[in-house]
Amino acid sequence: MVIKVFLASSSGSTAIKKKQQDVLGFLEALKVDYAPLDIACNEDNRMWMRENVPVEKKPTNGIPLPPQIFNEESYCGDYETFFDAKEDNAVFAFLGLPPPPGSKEAKEAEKAFILENGPVENGTVEIETVESETVENGTDDAEDEENLEAEEVDEENLDDDSLKREVPMEEFNGDEHTEEVEAEVGGETGEEAAEEAAAAEEKVEKAEEEAVEDTEEATEDTAPMKQEEAQEEVEDEEAKGEDDQPVSEEEEELRQLEEEEEAPEQEEEDE
């Protein structure tokens, strides 16, 4: 297959000359074989180009301008379509040629072929497919491991939740039911712990009742003694009150008269 490039060697347009140079230079850089066909010096080339350019690709005046590119008899495009293909790394597809192995366009073509038709056996496409499958399997294995770890964590959380439900809420709020908790830790059942707790409460109640009775008896024994002591204190205070009372003048005179009467009698007895 020969690529035909129709151009005008003696064109007076600078823009057309630049476009022709860009097309030819890029084809040479890609090492694509092409045949330049001059329409300025050859009327047959000009007529063939005008007849084989599709109607929808012709300008409004009906005369296509160079450069025009063909692959044998098949129309490829003009400069604008060639430039777009170059920007998209699809020049070989634009020219209708297979891209060289290892080129960027070849890799993209292989990927597009895989997407449309699936992997090809015994080829580079198959190798790339195996590599992609290996990567996918690796990611799948990693995802499976993450899922397993997540499931294990969920199971541990469920176990923790079940243990929390079995333990009474009162034990999380303070020191209540400590005897029941100790009994459960020691391997005893809840019923045995409850019985022991009830027995301990009964012992405490009995001890409190005995202490109350002892207190009442001691109070009864000490009450009479306190009453006697209080009576004695009252009598002592009354006696002190009598002694402390002031002696009136009449009582003092009576006491002196009694002493005077007793004095002669005492003298007579002495004589």
Side-chain angles (χ1 to χ4, degrees):
M1 292 184 292
V2 178
I3 302 301
K4 298 178 181 180
V5 181
F6 291 86
L7 47 84
S9 59
S10 61
S11 174
S13 174
T14 306
I16 291 175
K17 290 181 179 179
K18 185 177 184 304
K19 290 178 181 178
Q20 292 175 163
Q21 291 174 358
D22 289 342
V23 172
L24 297 179
F26 197 75
L27 292 177
E28 290 176 359
L30 295 177
K31 298 180 180 181
V32 175
D33 293 332
Y34 68 92
L37 301 175
D38 191 1
I39 64 173
C41 299
N42 192 323
E43 186 67 21
D44 293 336
N45 291 339
R46 183 172 60 180
M47 295 302 296
W48 190 94
M49 183 192 74
R50 291 181 179 181
E51 290 174 357
N52 288 278
V53 172
V55 178
E56 63 272 11
K57 299 295 183 179
K58 292 180 179 180
T60 56
N61 60 5
I63 301 174
L65 298 176
Q68 297 291 332
I69 306 167
F70 288 82
N71 185 340
E72 293 292 346
E73 307 298 325
S74 300
Y75 180 73
C76 296
D78 56 5
Y79 175 80
E80 282 72 18
T81 53
F82 175 83
F83 181 81
D84 293 338
K86 184 175 72 171
E87 293 294 321
D88 297 336
N89 294 319
V91 173
F92 287 94
F94 167 80
L95 298 174
L97 300 175
S103 64
K104 187 175 182 180
E105 187 174 348
K107 293 179 181 179
E108 292 179 354
E110 289 174 357
K111 291 179 181 179
F113 183 83
I114 291 171
L115 293 174
E116 292 179 359
N117 304 318
V120 178
E121 295 181 357
N122 299 325
T124 56
V125 178
E126 184 179 4
I127 294 172
E128 291 180 359
T129 318
V130 171
E131 291 178 355
S132 62
E133 289 178 354
T134 305
V135 174
E136 291 177 356
N137 293 332
T139 55
D140 292 339
D141 294 338
E143 291 177 356
D144 293 338
E145 291 179 358
E146 292 179 357
N147 293 331
L148 289 173
E149 292 178 357
E151 290 177 358
E152 291 177 357
V153 172
D154 293 337
E155 291 178 357
E156 292 178 357
N157 293 332
L158 290 173
D159 294 337
D160 295 337
D161 294 337
S162 61
L163 291 173
K164 290 179 181 179
R165 292 192 190 97
E166 292 176 358
V167 179
M169 290 302 295
E170 289 84 355
E171 296 177 8
F172 294 98
N173 299 327
D175 297 332
E176 298 180 2
H177 303 284
T178 53
E179 295 180 356
E180 293 181 6
V181 175
E182 291 176 356
E184 290 178 0
V185 174
E188 297 180 359
T189 62
E191 294 179 357
E192 293 176 354
E195 291 177 358
E196 290 183 0
E201 290 178 359
E202 290 179 359
K203 290 180 181 180
V204 172
E205 291 178 357
K206 288 181 181 180
E208 290 178 354
E209 291 177 357
E210 291 177 357
V212 171
E213 291 177 357
D214 294 339
T215 305
E216 291 177 354
E217 290 177 358
T219 304
E220 291 176 357
D221 294 339
T222 56
M225 295 177 64
K226 290 182 179 180
Q227 289 179 357
E228 292 178 357
E229 291 177 356
Q231 186 66 29
E232 290 179 357
E233 290 177 357
V234 171
E235 291 177 355
D236 293 339
E237 289 178 357
E238 290 178 354
K240 288 180 181 179
E242 291 178 357
D243 294 337
D244 295 337
Q245 289 180 357
V247 180
S248 62
E249 295 179 358
E250 295 178 355
E251 290 178 354
E252 184 66 23
E253 292 177 355
L254 290 173
R255 187 175 61 77
Q256 291 177 358
L257 290 173
E258 288 178 357
E259 289 178 357
E260 291 176 356
E261 290 178 356
E262 289 177 358
E265 289 179 0
Q266 186 67 29
E267 292 176 356
E268 291 177 0
E269 288 178 1
D270 293 335
E271 291 178 356

